[in-house]
Amino acid sequence: ITQTFGWAYGMVYSFLVVFFSMALFNVIVAVFVENATVASKKNHKREKRERLLNSKLFNRKAQQLTSFVVDYYQEHHLNNSYIDNNLDGLKRVQLTTHMFDELLTYPEFKSILRDLDIADEEQRDLLATLDVDNGGTVDLEEMLQGIAKLRGDSRRSDIIGVSLRVEHFMKVSEQQFDILHHSVRHLMKQMDKLDRLQSSPAPAPPVVPVNAPPVASRRARPVDRGAGVHRAIM
């Protein structure tokens, strides 16, 4: 080519061949990487779905979490007192923010939460999320129930469930407001009646003249039946 068309044409031709070869190679690599990424995401989603549907795995990890927290609670806050592994015993374990931060310092505790699909960036605010009454404490039963609901991604059923709960709460609030409004109106009417009764003048007593003769009693005199019978015999 260089002998026929010259060195300039040969250099341009060689550059174009190398450029298009590199571009084609990059396209092939990009397609391969994209397919590998898509396959990895699909495998990850499938494994996560299987893990979320595996109730035995959740129960086993929940038992490990319960045992770990109970052991920590007994060792640090209850002077090694015994806690039953039942519902009443789980309610006795009250976790504060300070205690939960101490638990997060243990790699085993964080690993159990990770196995329960609680991401590392969400573990720090887990206790504040589950503390619905802002009391500063969460018992172990509430934490397990909250973790069970936090597992997995947000779904349409979660959003619709929250929307329905809010709508029901608004209806109940409106009904309670109507009842309260009716009670207040009735109370205001009763207070108005009481105010009118208190503000009206009392009736004056009848005036009796000083020199008026005493009023004769209209009560009939008792009849002496024995005297009448005696006169009839006479």
Side-chain angles (χ1 to χ4, degrees), residues 76 105 195:
H76 292 80
T105 59
D195 291 339

Side-chain angles (χ1 to χ4, degrees), residues 47-48 51-52 54 57-62 64-65 107-120 123 147 151-152:
E47 292 175 357
K48 186 176 182 179
R51 187 171 61 252
L52 293 175
N54 192 349
L57 175 63
F58 175 79
N59 293 333
R60 185 171 66 253
K61 292 299 178 180
Q64 293 179 4
L65 181 67
E108 183 180 355
F109 181 75
K110 298 186 66 174
S111 176
I112 296 174
L113 291 179
R114 198 178 298 113
D115 293 338
L116 290 171
D117 294 288
I118 305 298
D120 293 342
Q123 294 179 6
I147 290 175
R151 300 181 70 213

Side-chain angles (χ1 to χ4, degrees), residues 216-227:
S217 177
R218 296 183 180 179
R219 186 173 56 184
R221 296 177 62 185
V223 179
D224 190 358
R225 296 183 179 180

Side-chain angles (χ1 to χ4, degrees), residues 132-158:
V132 294
D133 57 353
N134 294 326
T137 59
V138 174
D139 60 55
L140 190 53
E141 180 193 7
E142 292 176 345
M143 189 174 71
L144 292 176
Q145 291 177 353
I147 290 175
K149 294 180 180 180
L150 285 174
R151 300 181 70 213
D153 300 328
S154 59
R155 300 178 295 272
R156 290 184 58 188
S157 58
D158 299 331

